[in-house]
Amino acid sequence: MITNLKWRILIFSTTVFFTIACLTQVLTGNVYANTNVQEILITEVVPMSQSSNDAYEYIELYNNSDRNIDLKDYKLPLQNIDITTSKVISPKGILVVCTKGSTTLGEFNTFYGTTLALDKYMTLPFVDEVLSNNLTTSILLAKDDATVVVRAQYNATDFEAKKGVTYKYTETGFDMLKLGQSQSPTPGSVSAQQVPQSGIKVTSITLDKTSITMDVNQTAVIHATISPDTATNKAIVWTSSNPSIVEVSQKGILTSKAEGVAYVSATTVDGGLVAFCTVVVRKILVTGITLDKTSSTIEIGKSIILKASLSPANATNKSVNWESNNSNIASVDSTGKVVGKAAGTAMITVTTVDGNFKGICVITVKDNKNTNNETFSIRLNKTSIQIKEGKFEQLTPIITPGNLKKTGLIWKSSNDKVAYVTQDGRVFGKKAGYAVITVTKDGVKATCNVQIISGKEKGKGKGHSK
């Protein structure tokens, strides 16, 4: 037990310094135990072994890692102790640290009725060779680089003579959790409540495929097997060496993206064991191409769109090139749109970039003026008419086929002095006599015989009939 002013000042100043250090680590995330349970645990503290003799006060440490830990790389800064003596704690092993340097292992075992071996026991030069037992006290273990590993705290009401405080691990942070107060000391042993239970370790991982070949834009599944089957933690992390070639989900589902080679790995969370699968992604070759039309007829100025179909439909490279052998007659753009330019015939060719396969469509472009006499015919609704002087009659052209436009018509009269015709087919009677009205479209003609009668004539001359 210690109460002198020197101790209080030392504890206060050191506590303030390392409290600031701990807060800094918490705020910056630079705390070892923030992501994993601490590598070293403080499992028990006995601050008062006897009311009058403190030769047997101790701190119990537990190696919670899977490796040997040498305490010479650590310090107890709040107790102003830099551990320079090499003392190795084996994995899952326990070390009892006595605060009085002169207490031998035999004396310690006799006092507590234990049988600790030398590798489980050491003494350190604590100030006045005791732990504080009348203040709220922190025992903080840190690495030499000042990284806090673990801290245990107790109050004066947590213990009594030869009865201490026990602690259990925490999942996050570095503060041990109080498990019991005024507990009978058990140096050299811990309960299942105090330390994490390791469970059954993973010993191996295998994949059902060590290599796989895929086409672009395909999916596949790789299955992993963990041994032993009873392992406690079977979690796996899946990764791809090149996600631009093949992606892998955390369920082992592969998705091929582009031609190439990638390596998919499955890593166990327990132990970091790794299994690999080589994934070869190949492109799907084009085997042919067809057009929706092999021939088509369009008019000058009109257009159609040709559609190309590649085989197979899921070919990797779907790029094609379009070409006209006579763009003066019919042009074609990169989308397959064909435009008639002039009367004639042109051959439109589409060619695959992959494989150089071709599809051909013959385009016939017709002049919408229909200069070919055999393509249409024209007649008038009347072949002969009588019109009185000063009157008019409407003639209507009939063109076959009926989808041709009634444009480009030229109307003429053989005798404008007798009968005059307008360019919309109206015939006016000028004076008595005969005339022939002709309508022409692209060289194709139709006629109507017209008799103009005077207003004095009645029932005479019905005109010529064709």
Side-chain angles (χ1 to χ4, degrees), residues 73-206:
D73 299 324
Y74 296 80
K75 61 182 67 178
L76 293 163
L78 300 185
Q79 283 70 42
N80 201 30
I81 296 175
D82 186 2
I83 305 172
T84 57
T85 302
S86 178
K87 192 68 175 181
V88 175
I89 311 177
S90 61
K92 312 307 179 187
I94 299 171
L95 181 68
V96 175
V97 180
C98 183
T99 64
K100 189 173 182 65
S102 61
T103 301
T104 66
L105 174 61
E107 292 171 337
F108 189 91
N109 279 334
T110 298
F111 183 81
Y112 285 108
T114 54
T115 57
L116 293 177
L118 188 58
D119 63 337
K120 308 294 184 186
Y121 178 81
M122 76 177 299
T123 61
L124 287 175
F126 280 68
V127 176
D128 291 332
E129 298 186 317
V130 293
L131 289 169
S132 173
N133 53 25
N134 63 352
L135 299 170
T136 297
T137 302
S138 293
I139 300 172
L140 188 145
L141 183 68
K143 293 184 178 181
D144 283 344
D145 63 3
T147 301
V148 176
V149 176
V150 64
R151 179 173 63 179
Q153 295 180 303
Y154 62 86
N155 300 314
T157 57
D158 290 335
F159 61 90
E160 53 190 275
K162 207 176 181 179
K163 291 196 176 185
V165 187
T166 56
Y167 302 89
K168 66 171 291 185
Y169 71 98
T170 179
E171 294 289 352
T172 58
F174 51 73
D175 280 314
M176 297 296 295
L177 303 176
K178 287 180 185 177
L179 183 62
Q181 292 86 26
S182 297
Q183 300 292 304
S184 297
T186 58
S189 66
V190 295
S191 68
Q193 290 178 285
Q194 290 182 274
V195 298
Q197 300 304 299
S198 58
I200 301 175
K201 293 290 185 181
V202 173
T203 58
S204 68
I205 180 173
T206 57

Side-chain angles (χ1 to χ4, degrees), residues 295-317:
S295 65
S296 186
T297 299
I298 59 175
E299 294 180 358
I300 295 174
K302 301 299 183 179
S303 66
I304 61 169
I305 295 179
L306 297 178
K307 295 181 180 179
S309 299
L310 276 68
S311 297
N314 62 340
T316 302
N317 189 350

Side-chain angles (χ1 to χ4, degrees), residues 291-298 304 306 345-348 360-364:
L291 288 173
D292 59 336
K293 297 180 178 68
T294 56
S295 65
S296 186
T297 299
I298 59 175
I304 61 169
L306 297 178
T345 301
M347 185 168 65
I348 305 299
I360 296 173
C361 179
V362 177
I363 299 293
T364 301

Side-chain angles (χ1 to χ4, degrees), residues 46 56 66 69 80 90 107 112 143 171 175 222 237 240 281 285 289 291 301 305-306 312 392 397 413 427:
V46 176
Y56 304 103
D66 293 323
I69 294 179
N80 201 30
S90 61
E107 292 171 337
Y112 285 108
K143 293 184 178 181
E171 294 289 352
D175 280 314
I222 300 177
V237 177
S240 169
V281 181
L285 299 177
I289 187 172
L291 288 173
I305 295 179
L306 297 178
F392 75 90
S413 171
V427 182

